[in-house]
Structure formats: C-alpha cells, structure tokens
Amino acid sequence: MKKSIKAALLFSTLIIGAVETPNVINNTSSATQVIAHADGTNTPRLNAFKNLSIVDGKNVGITDLQNIIINSIDEQTNGNISSVDEVTESELDNLNTLYFPAVINGLNPYAKNIDFNQLKGIINPQNITSIYLEKVLYSTNPFKALGEMDSLKYIQLVTSNVTNEDLAALKAPNLQAYNFQNIDVSDLSQFIANNNLTRTTNNNPQIQATAVGNHENDTDSALVGLHGSSISDLSKINGQMLYSSDAMSNGYSVTDFQNQVINENYEINAPKEGSVIRIPINDLKDVVATSTSNSGVDYKAVYNPSVTYLTADNFSDKNISVIGKDGNPAQTKPTTDPTNGIAYLEYKYDGGNIPNNLSFSFTSTLGTNTLRNLFSGKYNIHLNIKPETPKSSSAASQSQSSSSSSVSSSAQSSSASKEATSSASSSQSIPAFNESKAASSSSVTPSSSSAIESSVTPAETPNSIKSSHSNNKGTPKKDNVQPNKVETTNSSERKDAKSLPQTGDQTHQNVFVALGSLLVAISSTTLAFVLRRKNK
C-alpha cells in the first residue's frame, strides 16, 4: 500500500512538473535577473586559451601552442607580452598574425606536437593575414584545422614537418607571397592549384610583395622561396613572380631555390660485369626567369620544356656519367646560356661491389645573372641489390613469372655487334625519354620517370628493377614496365607442325570404326536368329 502511494505521488509530481515548466520558462518574472559569474563566462576565447595549460587535468604551465599565441600577439601589438595572464579577450579576437620566430628570449626553441584543432574558438582564422612559423612541428594537418583563410596574404614556414598532403590543404585564395624553407614538401602542384597562384592581370603575375607582413627578419622573407626542401620540379611555378623591384625596395630578398635534396630509391638485380645501369632523371626541371612586360627589373617564372639551364657535377663515383637531352655528357659549369639539360645517369659496372649510393650535384642559373640565388641541390640515388633467384626450367613458368612480377624498369640485352645501332637508337629517343617517358630501345615499352635500363650480355636474363621516389616524405612513385615479349615461330617449324598427325581427327575415326563393327555384329546375330526360326 505504501509503495502504491509513493508511486502515485511520484507520477503526479512528474505530471505537474511537465505542465509547470513551460510556464516558468515563458513567464519569468521581471524581477528575475541573469547574473554573470565571476569566472569570466563572457570571455570564451580567453578561457579556452587559458585551458590550453590543462593537460590530463593538470596545469603544465605555458604550452607550446600558448607560446605561439603569446608571440603572435606580441608581434602584432609590440606589447612585450610574455605570459598567459597578460593576454586579453580583445587581443585574441583581433589577432591577425601567427608568429613564432627562431629565437625567443635568447633561446632557440622548437614547438612540438602542435595541434591547430585546439585553436578553434580561440582565434578567428578568417582574420589571419600573415603566417610566419619557424621550427614548429605539427601532430595533425594544420591547414585542415584552420580551414579557408580569405585574408591570408603571406606565409613563411621554416624547418617544419609539413608534408605534400598538409600543404595541399592550405586554401588562401588571396595569397600573394609564400616562402618555404627546409620542409618535407616535394610537390607544390595541388597547393598552387588550390590557391590559383598562377593568376595574372594583363599578363602580369599577381603574386607580389605589397601585402607581405612586417617581421623581425625581413631579409629572410622572399616573394617565392623553396630553400633547402626537396623540390625537383620548378615547372609548377610557371607564371609566378620570382623577383620584384618593389620587394627589394622594401627589404625583401631575391627568391631562393638552393640546397634542394632529392632522394630516389631503386631495387635492381645484380648486373653482370661490363653492363651499364641507366637511371632516367625525369623530374628534375627548372624554369626561365623572364623580364615582365612592364619593367626590366621584375622577373617571372616561365616554363619551357625545350629550354633548360641545368648542369651537373660532383659525381660520387668515377663510373658515373650524367647525359644531357641530346645524348652528350651534361654540361658541368653553370651558365646563363641554354644547356643540353639532364636526361639520365649511367653507371658502368666494372665488377666488385656495387655502391649503395650514387649522387651528383645540379645547378641552374634560371637563365639570368640578376637572380644570383640559383636552383641547385643534390640528387641522391640509393641502390638495393636483389638476391639472385634460380632460373625456371620451363618456358611456361618463365612466362608466368614475367607476367606476375611488378617491375619499374627492365634491363635490355644487347650484343657487342649491335652496340653502335643501340647507341644511335638510344640517342634518338632521349628527348621523349626526358619528358617523363623512360625510353628503352625497341623491345621495351616507354614508362614513367622511374625506369632504369641496364645493358647486359646476350646470355643474360633481363634485370627487373624497382624504384620508389622518396623526396623525404614526398609521395612515392611506382611504375610497371616489362619488356615486350615477341613470339616468333620458325617457318620450318610451321611446316613440321602441319605434317604432324592430327590427334583429334584420328580419335573420331576410331569411334566411327567401332560403331560400324558393332552394327555389323548385331545385324549378323539378328539374321541368324530369323533363319533358325524359319527352318523350324
């Protein structure tokens, strides 16, 4: 009984509450007042900023992300801000720069494991006009977190772990200048496409220095810069401003593409003594610095695949030759005149241990003496020798093995008597081979940029070679190329094949003979039975 009464009271209480609650909400007395708490609920950005110090429920002091914000506000306001407590809600709301220099208070710090997703609700990315971040290492893609930044005009990243994918997520439709130094990016194509960086007005590039922010080290800033990264192909910056007299008058340096480090990895079968390993250098492309129509001292990048200023020197091995597009050895001294470029590297194997690393240095003047900072760097090729596998005894197994193995290039057999012909054929195919097609000779299909040729003795089975393009954390390239297998049949063998017994026809004849014999036997038995009955 008591339980029933309690249940009834509880039910009635719920019903009354459901009826009364809307009245309480909608008919709040005029005397009722909402009082702001003293904990600062009217400063959401500041509270979120201060909470960055709390990690796993503990106050860990100033975090690296807070340090970036403090330095950014100090740069923008010149307010000598050095602590979390000196930051205000208004300063966070109006922040228009992200700034983290190489030297802070005499120290040379790194900001590590930075997650820009934590900036949501603290800053407004749409307000950011300039980004200057040095020695900042990210745990997530920073530009996915920031989203589209319509106000961003200038960005400089120095010694950073941003990747191709990270940079491809950067969307700043009004970007006017960028400078990337010592980063892991090797491919700018998506970044340039997303931000329409080849846009022009009256055939003049819109990438200029007029909106570049003010920083402590203005001379470190460049209109377009890729110093110490892993960029091997400058053709994507076609149409962009490389040098501006306005930029120079404001203290900005000439663009710098020096100290690129390009890494290629290849896997090859052990070659025979006297063979030649050929490695195409298809991705190494420069541009021409051409004066703009309105000024003789402003230069823009113009890509013309038929013209190059690349030269090669400092070979790591005496057996290395770097060959130009015309089939002759590449030029070794920097020049402002067009060169024969760089098409491929040859390594002549004379026995002994094969070096694990082959390398050479490359340089381009971009075609002008005005731009004294050159496109230069080191091209490294890492070789891995595959262990030899037993040769299959049957042609069928060889064909199956050939069709199932994925290779990026092939070694080609050539006899000594055909060397002159092969050399001439190779020389003719070099231009197409250098323009991202790896031309072997007539028995090998063209492939993309990571093919290798190896000239071996006639008795040698074609070497299979695999390659991958590392470029630090660049995207790997994989190619599948196999020798064309030409099936030929000797005319005398065809004649012999025609004279051989046709086993299928012979079998049918035997069947017909057996059926005929059976019918004859049945007929004879039936006739004998009929005659016997007639005689009775």
Side-chain angles (χ1 to χ4, degrees), residues 328-401:
N328 297 317
Q331 292 171 245
T332 58
K333 294 182 179 180
T335 174
T336 56
D337 296 324
T339 69
N340 60 350
I342 297 175
Y344 57 88
L345 176 147
E346 283 187 346
Y347 174 73
K348 297 179 181 179
Y349 177 58
D350 55 6
N353 295 327
I354 299 176
N356 292 327
N357 299 292
L358 305 175
S359 68
F360 64 93
S361 297
F362 63 88
T363 301
S364 172
T365 61
L366 305 184
T368 175
N369 280 322
T370 303
L371 302 183
R372 298 192 181 278
N373 289 319
L374 308 175
F375 173 39
S376 65
K378 189 174 183 180
Y379 204 101
N380 298 312
I381 297 166
H382 307 284
L383 295 179
N384 294 315
I385 310 302
K386 291 175 59 179
E388 292 188 8
T389 55
K391 294 183 179 179
S392 174
S393 58
S394 67
S397 63
Q398 288 177 359
S399 175
Q400 181 178 1
S401 173

Side-chain angles (χ1 to χ4, degrees), residues 219-233:
T219 54
D220 291 340
S221 305
L223 219 54
V224 175
L226 294 166
H227 178 95
S229 300
S230 53
I231 303 293
S232 60
D233 183 359

Side-chain angles (χ1 to χ4, degrees), residues 113-405:
N113 299 319
I114 299 301
D115 181 4
F116 269 11
N117 287 296
Q118 295 178 313
L119 290 179
K120 293 177 180 178
I122 297 177
I123 68 169
N124 183 0
Q126 286 294 324
N127 289 343
I128 302 299
T129 60
S130 64
I131 295 176
Y132 183 102
L133 299 173
E134 196 160 355
K135 294 187 177 179
V136 177
L137 306 180
Y138 307 92
S139 61
T140 57
N141 188 325
F143 305 116
K144 278 187 177 180
L146 291 172
E148 186 165 322
M149 293 178 284
D150 293 334
S151 300
L152 185 64
K153 300 296 195 304
Y154 171 75
I155 181 171
Q156 176 162 328
L157 304 176
V158 180
T159 312
S160 171
N161 66 337
V162 293
T163 64
N164 294 333
E165 182 182 1
D166 294 336
L167 202 57
L170 175 59
K171 295 182 179 179
N174 295 303
L175 190 66
Q176 294 187 355
Y178 64 88
N179 186 9
F180 304 132
Q181 300 182 15
N182 302 323
I183 63 176
D184 291 336
V185 172
S186 60
D187 184 2
L188 290 175
S189 56
Q190 195 60 50
F191 161 70
I192 289 175
N194 285 348
N195 299 287
N196 191 23
L197 294 181
T198 57
R199 58 187 184 270
T200 60
T201 300
N202 297 325
N203 202 33
N204 292 320
Q206 291 185 4
I207 301 296
Q208 51 191 333
T210 55
V212 173
N214 294 319
H215 301 297
E216 287 184 355
N217 302 312
D218 286 342
T219 54
D220 291 340
S221 305
L223 219 54
V224 175
L226 294 166
H227 178 95
S229 300
S230 53
I231 303 293
S232 60
D233 183 359
L234 293 185
S235 65
K236 299 299 182 182
I237 67 173
N238 180 58
Q240 296 183 36
M241 187 74 78
L242 297 179
Y243 172 89
S244 168
S245 56
D246 290 338
M248 290 301 293
S249 64
N250 290 328
Y252 298 100
S253 63
V254 179
T255 184
D256 182 356
F257 305 106
Q258 291 183 326
N259 301 328
Q260 308 295 321
V261 179
I262 316 303
N263 294 311
E264 293 278 359
N265 296 311
Y266 293 94
E267 187 177 56
I268 65 173
N269 287 339
K272 295 292 182 64
E273 184 175 348
S275 64
V276 174
I277 300 173
R278 177 181 291 181
I279 303 172
I281 312 296
N282 294 319
D283 56 348
L284 196 57
K285 300 175 182 177
D286 64 350
V287 295
V288 182
T290 302
S291 298
T292 59
S293 58
N294 62 335
S295 173
V297 293
D298 292 352
Y299 291 86
K300 66 179 179 179
V302 176
Y303 176 61
N304 183 346
S306 65
V307 179
T308 180
Y309 297 90
L310 286 166
T311 56
D313 62 356
N314 295 328
F315 308 137
S316 64
D317 192 284
K318 62 180 179 63
N319 291 334
I320 290 177
S321 297
V322 175
I323 308 301
K325 291 182 180 180
D326 58 2
N328 297 317
Q331 292 171 245
T332 58
K333 294 182 179 180
T335 174
T336 56
D337 296 324
T339 69
N340 60 350
I342 297 175
Y344 57 88
L345 176 147
E346 283 187 346
Y347 174 73
K348 297 179 181 179
Y349 177 58
D350 55 6
N353 295 327
I354 299 176
N356 292 327
N357 299 292
L358 305 175
S359 68
F360 64 93
S361 297
F362 63 88
T363 301
S364 172
T365 61
L366 305 184
T368 175
N369 280 322
T370 303
L371 302 183
R372 298 192 181 278
N373 289 319
L374 308 175
F375 173 39
S376 65
K378 189 174 183 180
Y379 204 101
N380 298 312
I381 297 166
H382 307 284
L383 295 179
N384 294 315
I385 310 302
K386 291 175 59 179
E388 292 188 8
T389 55
K391 294 183 179 179
S392 174
S393 58
S394 67
S397 63
Q398 288 177 359
S399 175
Q400 181 178 1
S401 173
S402 174
S403 63
S404 63
S405 64

Side-chain angles (χ1 to χ4, degrees), residues 420-486:
T421 304
S422 174
S423 176
S425 173
S426 175
S427 176
Q428 293 171 358
S429 66
I430 286 171
F433 173 45
N434 192 59
E435 294 304 319
S436 80
K437 296 293 180 181
S440 303
S441 61
S442 59
S443 66
V444 181
T445 57
S447 93
S448 59
S449 63
S450 30
I452 297 181
E453 286 185 36
S454 178
S455 300
V456 294
T457 58
E460 197 175 341
T461 304
N463 290 337
S464 69
I465 303 171
K466 296 182 179 180
S467 72
S468 64
H469 182 55
S470 62
N471 273 351
N472 295 337
K473 293 186 180 178
T475 306
K477 299 178 182 177
K478 295 182 181 178
D479 302 300
N480 295 321
V481 180
Q482 291 180 333
N484 288 334
K485 187 175 182 180
V486 182

